[in-house]
Amino acid sequence: MNFARLLFLALQIFIVSMSSMLSLSTPATAAESVITLDEATTLALQANPDIAVTLSGREVENGQVLQAGARPNPTLSGQIQDLRSQNRITSIIISQQLETAGKRDKRIAAADANIAIADADIRIAQAETSAKVYAAFYQVLAAQQAQTLATELLQIGTTSKETTAKRVLAGKVSPVEETKAKVVEAGLKVDLVNASQQLVAAKKRLISLWGKGLASAETTTFTAVGELDKLSTLPALTELAAELQNSPRIKKAGLMVIQKQAFSAIEKSKQTPDVTVSLGAQRNQELGGLTQAIIGLSIPIPLFDRNQGNLQSAKAREVQSQDEKAALENQLQAELAIAYARWQSQIEAITTYSQDILPGAQSAFDAARKGFDFGKFSFLEVLDAQRTLFQTKTQFIQTQASAHQAEAEIQSILGVTSTYKPLVGDVDKKESP
């Protein structure tokens, strides 16, 4: 086999490798399990530790509601006056405290407010977990595609090294070219190792949201199935800001105000003293064992302690909760504006990559490959143009992942667990060049 035929065969292998490189999807192997975004979200909502904590908190508040409705226990007391049998007076009295000013109803109202807050905590945890899963899932998709690109680039680097070695043996190029090709291949191996490590780390971040731990390496043997370039369209910022009032965090802040108002009502009711009624019998031996009825009534006199300090503190906490709600609204408005701006910038970057950068990198690679066919460029120059194309595609992948992360942050701020409809228009799904 002469050198020209050998070179032509090498070019054919190179072109076939280039064609396979253009696919950005990562198919699952037969030994791997596959998981979709919906499945990943369902796993997290069922077993996430943060959600489990809020569910346990709800059970705690259930007990508090039961306790809030309990009435005061009656008191049974007895006494003996004079231990001498002929002078002994024996008394047995049962007393019952009667709550006034609706204290029991106010306690129940406060406990119900705590239940509502616990429910809001559950919704917050579910929304935040869903958003974290959304971001982590697309990070896995991005890492899978980055690993695929790194693998294909290494294959091409290995082919270029072997081709260059043959050209050196044929005396067509300097041995320095072979050394450069070996250095490039070694660097590509490092890139593949890094990409594989980043994929494992991304999978473990997703797994941690399922509450299954990170101890077993086998847990990362799954493939995420989805479309990284399937982005979402969002309403205008003003429309999203209007939805903030329906977010579970804002609703919780409103419930906190109601809770503090309920506590204030409890403290105010304590200013009205409770009444204690007593009923009993007394047996008087001095009167020949005569049994006498005892009826009593006691009411504390609010002369010194009128619970004014606790009431003042409760009122101050009520005002504080209103200020905290206003502060939270301002904070979420700012966070939403920042996340929305980041999402917009990533969408614009995706458009630029699709329309300008990727086509330019592809054009440069095509020109270098044609120049190599006519002997105007070295094989390493073709490899350099090809590597630039791969790096551009890798950056494009990361930009898409960043857009999904910004959307996940918006979902977390709004407290929603569903995604928006796919984008249409300039940022719609496009075929990579």
Side-chain angles (χ1 to χ4, degrees):
M1 181 182 295
N2 58 31
F3 175 76
R5 187 174 181 181
L6 180 63
L7 181 58
F8 178 76
L9 180 61
L11 284 175
Q12 283 184 318
I13 296 175
F14 182 77
I15 293 172
V16 171
S17 299
M18 286 291 96
S19 299
S20 64
M21 174 196 70
L22 299 180
S23 173
L24 295 178
S25 60
T26 308
T29 64
E32 290 182 331
S33 60
V34 297
I35 188 168
T36 64
L37 175 59
D38 289 342
E39 291 169 344
T41 303
T42 299
L43 285 172
L45 293 179
Q46 290 175 346
N48 183 265
D50 294 335
I51 296 178
V53 169
T54 59
L55 292 174
S56 299
R58 178 54 157 80
E59 293 301 317
V60 172
E61 297 304 331
N62 283 337
Q64 294 300 309
V65 170
L66 181 63
Q67 186 61 36
R71 300 181 185 277
N73 291 321
T75 301
L76 179 64
S77 63
Q79 68 177 26
I80 299 176
Q81 298 180 24
D82 200 333
L83 297 179
R84 293 173 296 178
S85 59
Q86 65 275 17
N87 299 323
R88 182 178 302 163
I89 301 175
T90 305
S91 303
I92 297 178
I93 302 173
I94 184 169
S95 302
Q96 177 65 55
Q97 179 184 354
L98 302 179
E99 294 183 304
T100 60
K103 292 184 178 68
R104 178 172 176 271
D105 292 338
K106 290 177 172 58
R107 286 198 307 271
I108 293 175
D112 288 339
N114 289 338
I115 283 286
I117 291 173
D119 289 337
D121 284 333
I122 294 174
R123 290 191 294 271
I124 290 171
Q126 290 174 338
E128 291 181 347
T129 298
S130 177
K132 289 177 181 177
V133 171
Y134 187 86
F137 183 85
Y138 280 102
Q139 277 295 325
V140 172
L141 282 182
Q144 287 176 172
Q145 293 190 7
Q147 185 191 51
T148 299
L149 288 174
T151 300
E152 293 170 350
L153 184 56
L154 176 59
Q155 292 173 349
I156 296 171
T158 301
T159 301
S160 70
K161 182 199 69 173
E162 294 171 351
T163 302
T164 304
K166 293 175 181 178
R167 297 186 69 181
V168 169
L169 289 176
K172 299 296 182 179
V173 296
S174 168
V176 175
E177 293 292 314
E178 182 180 5
T179 302
K180 291 180 180 179
K182 290 180 179 179
V183 171
V184 170
E185 182 190 34
L188 295 176
K189 289 180 179 178
V190 173
D191 291 342
L192 178 58
V193 170
N194 290 336
S196 299
Q197 290 176 343
Q198 290 175 3
L199 176 58
V200 171
K203 287 184 175 181
K204 287 187 175 182
R205 282 193 293 271
L206 179 59
I207 292 169
S208 67
L209 298 171
W210 301 339
K212 295 186 177 181
L214 305 177
S216 175
E218 287 75 12
T219 57
T220 60
T221 56
F222 68 87
T223 299
V225 177
E227 298 174 283
L228 187 63
D229 54 358
K230 186 179 180 181
L231 301 168
S232 298
T233 185
L234 298 180
L237 179 58
T238 53
E239 296 180 35
L240 293 178
E243 294 180 16
L244 270 179
Q245 294 303 317
N246 296 322
S247 71
R249 291 173 66 183
I250 294 294
K251 288 187 175 182
K252 178 185 175 181
L255 291 171
M256 293 290 288
V257 174
I258 296 175
Q259 179 200 52
K260 296 303 187 295
Q261 291 172 343
F263 288 162
S264 295
I266 290 174
E267 297 301 333
K268 185 174 180 59
S269 69
K270 290 179 181 179
Q271 290 187 321
T272 303
D274 294 335
V275 176
T276 302
V277 296
S278 302
L279 180 64
Q282 176 179 278
R283 187 177 184 82
N284 193 332
Q285 294 299 121
E286 287 184 326
L287 300 177
L290 180 65
T291 300
Q292 299 169 309
I294 299 175
I295 299 176
L297 177 67
S298 65
I299 303 175
I301 301 174
L303 182 59
F304 303 110
D305 182 6
R306 300 187 302 276
N307 202 42
Q308 61 271 31
N310 289 335
L311 179 57
Q312 180 180 342
S313 296
K315 287 292 186 181
R317 292 190 184 97
E318 185 179 333
V319 174
Q320 181 185 34
S321 65
Q322 294 171 346
D323 293 337
E324 289 174 346
K325 181 176 181 292
L328 179 61
E329 289 175 348
N330 289 334
Q331 175 188 338
L332 293 183
Q333 290 279 1
E335 290 179 358
L336 179 62
I338 293 172
Y340 192 84
R342 182 160 55 250
W343 177 83
Q344 280 187 318
S345 67
Q346 297 304 317
I347 293 299
E348 291 173 359
I350 289 171
T351 302
T352 302
Y353 270 105
S354 300
Q355 296 180 354
D356 300 322
I357 299 177
L358 278 172
Q362 182 70 52
S363 176
F365 169 71
D366 293 340
R369 187 172 59 184
K370 290 180 181 178
F372 174 79
D373 293 339
F374 291 102
K376 295 181 178 180
F377 297 111
S378 67
F379 201 82
L380 288 180
E381 288 174 314
V382 176
L383 181 62
D384 182 66
Q386 172 264 320
R387 185 171 186 179
T388 299
L389 177 61
F390 267 81
Q391 289 175 341
T392 302
K393 288 187 175 183
T394 300
Q395 293 168 356
F396 180 57
I397 289 171
Q398 290 303 319
T399 303
Q400 290 175 317
S402 296
H404 285 291
Q405 285 183 321
E407 183 186 347
E409 187 175 350
I410 292 173
Q411 291 180 19
S412 178
I413 293 170
L414 295 177
V416 296
T417 56
S418 59
T419 56
Y420 296 91
K421 60 184 179 180
L423 279 170
V424 294
D426 292 339
V427 198
D428 200 356
K429 180 180 176 182
K430 295 183 179 181
E431 183 177 338
S432 298

